[in-house]
C-alpha cells in the first residue's frame, strides 16, 4: 500500500478532491449568503442554523485543500476554477426562507453524491487518509441535509 500512496498525485484522487472542494466552497457561499438574507418567521432559527453549518464548512475547506496539496497537486482557488468543477449553482438572495432551505437541501444532496464518487476513487487508490477525510465530510453533509429536511417537514 505504501507504493500506491507515493503515486497518488498521478491518480484521479486529486481531481475528485478538487470537485469536492469546489462543491463545498459553492455550498459554503450559498449557506453564508442565505444566513445574511433569510427573512420571515423562522429568521432566528434559520439564521443560527445556517451560521453553524457555514462555520463548519469553512474549516473543512482548508482541510480539503491541504489534502490536495499533501498529494502534490495545486488546489483550485479561483471563482472560475470552482465554477468549472462544481455542480452547485449560486443562490438567490430574493428567495423565500422555504426556497432557500430547498436549495440548500439540493446542494447537500449534490455534494453527498460528489463525496461518494470521490470516496470510491480514493478507496480504489488505497488512499486511506483521503478516505478518512471524505468519510468525515460525508457524515457532516448527511447531518446538515437531515437538519434542513427536518426543518422543511410540515
Amino acid at each position: 500500500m505504501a507504493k500506491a500512496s507515493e503515486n497518488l498525485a498521478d491518480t484521479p484522487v486529486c481531481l475528485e478532491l478538487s470537485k469536492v472542494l469546489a462543491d463545498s466552497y459553492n455550498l459554503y457561499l450559498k449557506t453564508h449568503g442565505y444566513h445574511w438574507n433569510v427573512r420571515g418567521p423562522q429568521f432566528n432559527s434559520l439564521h443560527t442554523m445556517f451560521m453553524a453549518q457555514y462555520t463548519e464548512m469553512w474549516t473543512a475547506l482548508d482541510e480539503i485543500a491541504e489534502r490536495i496539496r499533501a498529494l502534490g497537486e495545486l488546489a483550485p482557488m479561483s471563482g472560475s476554477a470552482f465554477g468549472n468543477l462544481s455542480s452547485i449553482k449560486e443562490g438567490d438572495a430574493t428567495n423565500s426562507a422555504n426556497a432557500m432551505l430547498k436549495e440548500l437541501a439540493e446542494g447537500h444532496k449534490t455534494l453527498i453524491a460528489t463525496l461518494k464518487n470521490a470516496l470510491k476513487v480514493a478507496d480504489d487508490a488505497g488512499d486511506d487518509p483521503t478516505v478518512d477525510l471524505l468519510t468525515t465530510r460525508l457524515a457532516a453533509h448527511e447531518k446538515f441535509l437531515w437538519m434542513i429536511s427536518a426543518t422543511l417537514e410540515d
Side-chain angles (χ1 to χ4, degrees), residues 4-5 19 29 59 65 86 93-96 98 130 134 136 139:
S5 296
K19 291 177 185 175
L29 285 174
T59 301
S86 182
T94 66
N95 278 345
S96 68
N98 202 50
T130 299
L134 295 172
T136 299

Side-chain angles (χ1 to χ4, degrees), residues 1-2 4-6 8 13 17 63-64 66-68 70-71 118-119 122-123 125-137:
M1 176 131 57
S5 296
E6 293 169 5
L8 285 175
V13 171
L17 278 169
E63 294 170 1
I64 298 163
E66 288 178 355
R67 183 65 191 148
I68 294 168
L71 294 173
L119 258 167
D123 191 44
D127 182 352
D128 293 336
T130 299
V131 167
D132 183 54
L133 172 64
L134 295 172
T135 300
T136 299
R137 297 309 317 139

Side-chain angles (χ1 to χ4, degrees), residues 10-154:
D10 298 330
T11 70
V13 171
C14 288
L15 175 60
E16 296 308 314
L17 278 169
S18 293
K19 291 177 185 175
V20 168
L21 181 61
D23 276 356
S24 298
Y25 191 79
N26 283 352
L27 189 54
Y28 158 80
L29 285 174
K30 184 183 280 194
T31 305
H32 204 155
Y34 284 169
H35 162 81
W36 293 328
N37 292 297
V38 69
R39 306 166 303 289
Q42 292 181 289
F43 168 80
N44 194 49
S45 61
L46 294 179
H47 186 76
T48 301
M49 180 175 67
F50 295 164
M51 185 170 71
Q53 291 183 5
Y54 79 68
T55 300
E56 193 280 342
M57 284 188 271
W58 178 253
T59 301
L61 291 170
D62 199 51
E63 294 170 1
I64 298 163
E66 288 178 355
R67 183 65 191 148
I68 294 168
R69 294 297 295 134
L71 294 173
E73 295 292 331
L74 296 174
M77 57 181 250
S78 69
S80 62
F82 289 146
N84 290 334
L85 290 165
S86 182
S87 301
I88 296 176
K89 66 180 182 119
E90 293 180 359
D92 180 352
T94 66
N95 278 345
S96 68
N98 202 50
M100 289 177 180
L101 286 165
K102 287 179 181 178
E103 276 196 19
L104 290 174
E106 287 306 310
H108 285 287
K109 288 176 187 175
T110 298
L111 183 48
I112 287 166
T114 302
L115 284 160
K116 287 181 177 180
N117 186 62
L119 258 167
K120 181 179 180 345
V121 171
D123 191 44
D124 290 348
D127 182 352
D128 293 336
T130 299
V131 167
D132 183 54
L133 172 64
L134 295 172
T135 300
T136 299
R137 297 309 317 139
L138 179 61
H141 290 284
E142 287 176 341
K143 181 178 180 179
F144 294 159
L145 176 59
W146 159 65
M147 295 174 99
I148 290 168
S149 297
T151 304
L152 282 166
E153 292 291 321
D154 291 315

